[in-house]
Structures are given as structure tokens and as C-alpha cells.
């Protein structure tokens, strides 16, 4: 009953401490991405190719002609949009010849290659996007409503709906790691970066990957907390 009261806000919930810690780790990981990127954004690649030029070269080398490279505003807002078939590179990446920009541009092209060549985890992630979107927006509200109305079945529905958003976070991990792996291989094979520069780009991509790891871990812990507390509530 002690944990059950915690679920409703009347007692101390030790699992919530872990949720807070994971939230802090997410912020630390995000901050580290910015600091690592800034560090290697000051190092110009010997090829002197900008992020946009690298992206176009990688697409050309892979025979991909229906994907364009565009400039988007913002800082580290780089992404590949399969709906419009565009590699969107941010202010910090598009015109920059730094090893950081080159790595990020190649990473986004890694996603293009995943899409072109049917990478299974990406297919799974794409398939669950609609459900995951609903889960991230509606899961917790449904759960809270179930708590307020003392409806156990509604609490269960909230947990299951929220789990869809968690699943998306988990499936994202292999997608992001594989995109970075592809990026580094292509940068090496195509002679765009030398070994020292590759190590710099790898540090940037590894720091970025840690943000996904922290987010996924935080989501899993939150889901575990909800499942355990709901179970204890019934005891």
C-alpha cells in the first residue's frame, strides 16, 4: 500500500528518483553534443568539402539520384525526410568544411542509404511512427484520467499506449548507430576524411548517439515505473 499511495502522490516513490536521474542524463548528453560539435567544428577537413558537397558526393557514389540536399535554418537540425526525399542540413553543417559538419552530413546520408536499401529496423521504425506519435501525446493523459476516475482498465490502456512511444525510442537506437557506422565507412572508402579526421567525426557522431541512448533509457525507466506501480496498486 505504501507504493500504491506513491502512485497517487500520497507517498514517496523511490522509482521516481531514477526517472529524475535519467532526465538529468538526457540534458547532460544533449549538452555534450553541442560542446563536442563546437570543438570539432573548428577543425577544417583536408578535403575542404562542405557538408552539402559531402552529402551530394555520397548520394552520387551510391547511385541515388532522386534525393536532393537542402539548407534548413537552425543549429543541428539536420535530418533526412523520406517523404520529400531531401537531406536537410542546418546552418552549422551545410556550408561548413569542418570534420564535424562532414560527419553529420554523412550520417544523414547513412539514413538515405538505409531507406534506399531496405534496412529492416528503419522499416519497423517508420511503420510505428503513427502509433508512437499517439503514444507520446496520449499515453500519460489517458493514464492520469484513469487514476482520477479510479478506472484500472483505463490506466492499463494508458500504459500500453505510452509503451508505443517507448518502443519507437528503442527501435531508433539501431537505426542511429547503423547510420553513423555507414557514414564513417563511406567517408573512409571515398577518401573524404583521413584516419585522424575520421576519429574526430566519430567522436561527434558518438556524442550524438548518446542522446538517443539516454532518451531511450529514460523512456524505458518511466514505463517500468508505471508498470510496477500499477501492479503494486492492485496488491
Amino acid at each position: 500500500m505504501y507504493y500504491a499511495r506513491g502512485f497517487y502522490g500520497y507517498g514517496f516513490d523511490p522509482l521516481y528518483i531514477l526517472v529524475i536521474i535519467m532526465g538529468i542524463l538526457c540534458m547532460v548528453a544533449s549538452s555534450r553534443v553541442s560542446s563536442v560539435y563546437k570543438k570539432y567544428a573548428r577543425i577544417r577537413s583536408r578535403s575542404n568539402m562542405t557538408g552539402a558537397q559531402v552529402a551530394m558526393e555520397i548520394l552520387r557514389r551510391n547511385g541515388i539520384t532522386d534525393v536532393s540536399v537542402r539548407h534548413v535554418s537552425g543549429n543541428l537540425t539536420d535530418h533526412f525526410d523520406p517523404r520529400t526525399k531531401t537531406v536537410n542540413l542546418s546552418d552549422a553543417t551545410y556550408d561548413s568544411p569542418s570534420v564535424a559538419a562532414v560527419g553529420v552530413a554523412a550520417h544523414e546520408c547513412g539514413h538515405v542509404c538505409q531507406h534506399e536499401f531496405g534496412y529492416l529496423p528503419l522499416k519497423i521504425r517508420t511503420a510505428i511512427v503513427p502509433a508512437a506519435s499517439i503514444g507520446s501525446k496520449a499515453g500519460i493523459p489517458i493514464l492520469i484520467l484513469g487514476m482520477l476516475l479510479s478506472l484500472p482498465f483505463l490506466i492499463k490502456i494508458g500504459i500500453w499506449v505510452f509503451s508505443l512511444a517507448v518502443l519507437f525510442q528503442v527501435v531508433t537506437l539501431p537505426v542511429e548507430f547503423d547510420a553513423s557506422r555507414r557514414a564513417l565507412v563511406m567517408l573512409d572508402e571515398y577518401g573524404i576524411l583521413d584516419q585522424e579526421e575520421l576519429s574526430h567525426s566519430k567522436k561527434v557522431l558518438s556524442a550524438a548517439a548518446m542522446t538517443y541512448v539516454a532518451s531511450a533509457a529514460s523512456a524505458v525507466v518511466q514505463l517500468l515505473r508505471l508498470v510496477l506501480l500499477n501492479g503494486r496498486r492492485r496488491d
Side-chain angles (χ1 to χ4, degrees):
M1 294 300 293
Y2 180 82
Y3 288 101
R5 294 192 187 98
F7 187 60
Y8 285 96
Y10 296 110
F12 175 69
D13 175 8
L15 287 174
Y16 193 65
I17 299 299
L18 187 56
V19 173
I20 294 175
I21 292 174
M22 296 309 301
I24 294 173
L25 288 177
C26 286
M27 291 187 289
V28 171
S30 179
S31 177
R32 176 164 172 73
V33 171
S34 297
S35 63
V36 172
Y37 190 94
K38 287 179 181 178
K39 177 180 179 180
Y40 292 106
R42 295 192 290 266
I43 301 177
R44 180 184 292 264
S45 67
R46 293 183 178 87
S47 68
N48 206 37
M49 294 176 68
T50 65
Q53 290 172 331
V54 167
M56 288 185 282
E57 176 66 7
I58 290 176
L59 295 178
R60 184 187 70 80
R61 291 265 196 157
N62 284 275
I64 301 171
T65 59
D66 60 345
V67 174
S68 59
V69 179
R70 294 181 181 177
H71 179 210
V72 293
S73 60
N75 183 39
L76 297 181
T77 52
D78 312 87
H79 64 283
F80 165 58
D81 189 340
R83 297 168 300 178
T84 59
K85 291 200 169 184
T86 55
V87 173
N88 301 280
L89 302 179
S90 67
D91 296 329
T93 305
Y94 190 88
D95 286 322
S96 173
S98 71
V99 293
V102 168
V104 170
H107 173 88
E108 297 309 326
C109 288
H111 286 309
V112 177
C113 292
Q114 289 174 336
H115 188 266
E116 285 290 316
F117 307 130
Y119 182 58
L120 182 58
L122 179 62
K123 287 184 176 181
I124 296 173
R125 189 179 74 166
T126 301
I128 65 176
V129 164
S133 179
I134 294 173
S136 63
K137 296 175 181 177
I140 298 301
I142 292 174
L143 186 144
I144 293 175
L145 182 62
M147 289 165 52
L148 293 175
L149 299 178
S150 296
L151 296 174
F153 79 93
L154 200 56
I155 294 175
K156 287 184 179 180
I157 291 175
I159 292 174
W160 277 106
V161 172
F162 179 68
S163 68
L164 296 174
V166 177
L167 177 62
F168 178 83
Q169 296 268 23
V170 173
V171 174
T172 292
L173 294 180
V175 174
E176 294 300 327
F177 278 104
D178 180 74
S180 291
R181 181 192 63 79
R182 290 173 187 260
L184 294 171
V185 169
M186 291 186 291
L187 291 173
D188 184 24
E189 288 185 354
Y190 303 160
I192 297 173
L193 296 181
D194 62 27
Q195 291 304 309
E196 182 181 4
E197 292 170 333
L198 278 172
S199 68
H200 297 332
S201 288
K202 184 176 182 179
K203 290 176 182 177
V204 174
L205 298 181
S206 295
M210 287 304 103
T211 63
Y212 292 101
V213 172
S215 294
S218 179
V220 169
V221 168
Q222 177 73 309
L223 177 61
L224 178 62
R225 171 178 175 267
L226 295 175
V227 171
L228 291 178
L229 292 178
N230 185 50
R232 287 164 178 162
R233 174 181 171 273
R234 296 197 306 267
D235 293 340

